[in-house]
Amino acid sequence: MPSSGQNALFGMGNPLLDICAVVDKDFLDKYGLKPNDQILAEDKHKELFEELVKKFKVEYHAGGSTQNSIKIAQWMIQEPRKVATFFGCIGKDKFGDILKKKAAEAHVEAHYYEQSEEPTGTCAACITGDNRSLVANLAAANCYKKEKHLDLDQNWALVMKAKIYYIAGFFITVSPESILKVAKHASEKNKIFALNLSAPFICQFFKKSLMEVMPYVDILFGNETEAATFAKEQDFKTEDIEEIAKKAQSLPKENESRQRTVVFTQGKRGTVVAKGDKVVTFPVVEIDQSEIVDTNGAGDAFVGGFLSQIVQERPLEDCIRAGHYAANVVIRRAGCTVPEKPDFH
């Protein structure tokens, strides 16, 4: 098996501390939340964070979509440690210290840009049944600066070391110029750059930045809701997920020697993949509804599993199987957490 060396996988995104709680419908209604959504916190959500902690039993987990995926990839790989590198911005505070500690425990080489203007970002994960509504208060995560961190020689050296790059679409709201710098590097050096649509609001309100990055995207991830929103915004004139995957695949591409692969998950329904001239649906691992603790982090885990195999140059089928395996492990647990070792062969 090709060895995945240290720093072979690079991720950059919003490091957040997840505040998870099982809530009721009244709580969702009070703050105008959909049961299954991802949004950025607005002024009307300020009290939500306080009420969540006061009223419900909360658990704190190191989160942030890209960081979750990078950690899961490292967990799947196990050895060597520090195959995965992560960049993002945190505050100089207790929550920031927790994120640093959790990254170290996960054997991820995290290089945070630390600043004191804003506190470390948080994400309220409001769980009802097998739905999760995420409200992110980016705070420090929103302060990532290309010239203050990514451009520094010692940091850029880590970027250059990598072979596979992954960034969740969420980071488009923070530093599109950082994403473009990494994406262009990957394209010029014929390395693999992967991006996640991440949320309907990214496809809707950050369309311009998203489409500036798209020509550099070798692997595009998303779920069925994001795919549908993307198709509508791009005027694909179809609601058929396989058609959407094909159309997303054939959007303009900078590095033509590497055709884009599109991967759309659909929860318990199969994962749709457009690769080459085919669209294939891969069934997910069956799970009893009663065994699902919460689906928060399932999508991140899928990507992490997928990345763990592509770093080792495994075929697409193995990438999908590993993604499904990792997601199946995570939905049996609270937050995007894992047991000590994977059982994946």
Side-chain angles (χ1 to χ4, degrees):
M1 134 192 160
S3 72
S4 33
Q6 289 195 321
N7 311 111
L9 173 62
F10 175 84
M12 179 166 61
N14 301 331
L16 305 173
L17 191 72
D18 285 351
I19 306 171
C20 311
V22 175
V23 301
D24 48 34
K25 192 178 175 303
D26 290 347
F27 184 81
L28 294 182
D29 293 345
K30 178 176 176 181
Y31 291 103
L33 303 178
K34 292 178 193 157
N36 215 19
D37 202 8
Q38 308 91 296
I39 61 166
L40 292 177
E42 297 166 41
D43 284 342
K44 65 178 179 188
H45 300 115
K46 283 279 187 281
E47 275 78 60
L48 178 150
F49 289 84
E50 289 155 31
E51 188 177 335
L52 195 65
V53 175
K54 269 202 209 100
K55 209 166 150 186
F56 303 97
K57 182 178 167 298
V58 301
E59 287 189 13
Y60 294 93
H61 296 288
S65 184
T66 306
Q67 184 166 247
N68 283 342
S69 296
I70 293 296
K71 277 186 185 161
I72 295 280
Q74 179 65 54
W75 171 73
M76 289 284 288
I77 292 164
Q78 289 284 311
E79 299 286 337
R81 292 173 167 180
K82 297 191 175 177
V83 168
T85 314
F86 177 78
F87 287 4
C89 182
I90 58 174
K92 297 181 178 173
D93 51 27
K94 188 180 85 198
F95 284 175
D97 290 341
I98 294 174
L99 288 185
K100 282 195 282 195
K101 184 169 151 277
K102 294 287 184 191
E105 284 170 8
H107 307 299
V108 168
E109 185 161 340
H111 289 256
Y112 296 114
Y113 169 48
E114 298 181 44
Q115 48 73 60
S116 27
E117 260 105 84
E118 287 281 344
T120 297
T122 49
C123 178
C126 311
I127 319 272
T128 51
D130 62 359
N131 286 322
R132 48 90 185 115
S133 199
L134 306 177
V135 184
N137 179 27
L138 297 183
N142 204 25
C143 301
Y144 189 85
K145 299 276 184 291
K146 176 175 161 292
E147 58 286 354
K148 294 253 179 79
H149 194 263
L150 186 68
D151 293 345
L152 303 184
D153 290 348
Q154 71 270 30
N155 292 336
W156 187 250
L158 286 168
V159 176
M160 292 198 298
K161 248 181 110 173
K163 313 187 284 192
I164 313 283
Y165 301 86
Y166 173 67
I167 299 176
F170 291 123
F171 200 58
I172 287 172
T173 75
V174 174
S175 185
E177 55 286 349
S178 294
I179 300 179
L180 276 171
K181 182 174 182 180
V182 171
K184 285 176 176 170
H185 166 79
S187 181
E188 282 157 15
K189 300 283 186 239
N190 194 29
K191 299 173 180 181
I192 295 174
F193 179 81
L195 183 82
N196 204 318
L197 292 173
S198 290
F201 81 86
I202 299 289
C203 305
Q204 288 166 304
F205 308 117
F206 292 88
K207 190 163 33 177
K208 186 174 167 288
S209 297
L210 177 64
M211 296 321 284
E212 277 171 12
V213 181
M214 200 56 73
Y216 305 100
V217 176
D218 298 303
I219 305 171
L220 181 68
F221 293 104
N223 66 22
E224 71 275 46
T225 324
E226 292 145 17
T229 308
F230 183 68
K232 210 156 97 202
E233 292 296 327
Q234 295 302 318
D235 206 21
F236 283 173
K237 296 190 170 46
T238 179
E239 289 176 14
D240 178 281
I241 192 150
E242 296 193 356
E243 279 300 303
I244 296 170
K246 279 215 80 66
K247 291 197 167 188
Q249 183 188 33
S250 56
L251 288 166
K253 190 148 188 324
E254 214 33 63
N255 175 6
E256 289 174 353
S257 66
R258 209 187 262 290
Q259 194 190 10
R260 184 178 296 119
T261 301
V262 179
V263 183
F264 290 147
T265 56
Q266 319 180 73
K268 55 169 126 19
R269 299 198 307 286
T271 297
V272 174
V273 182
K275 184 177 167 61
D277 53 4
K278 291 203 234 345
V279 181
V280 186
T281 301
F282 294 85
V284 301
V285 188
E286 294 274 317
I287 184 169
D288 203 294
Q289 204 62 24
S290 63
E291 292 176 36
I292 298 176
V293 174
D294 82 55
T295 55
N296 182 26
D300 298 339
F302 171 83
V303 172
F306 189 104
L307 294 171
S308 74
Q309 302 305 299
I310 205 158
V311 160
Q312 300 174 65
E313 296 170 22
R314 299 270 171 79
L316 177 74
E317 291 68 22
D318 288 0
C319 297
I320 299 289
R321 209 162 52 83
H324 287 165
Y325 167 77
N328 185 274
V329 168
V330 162
I331 59 181
R332 297 167 188 270
R333 305 166 64 91
C336 195
T337 61
V338 286
E340 194 191 340
K341 283 204 167 37
D343 179 21
F344 176 77
H345 308 289

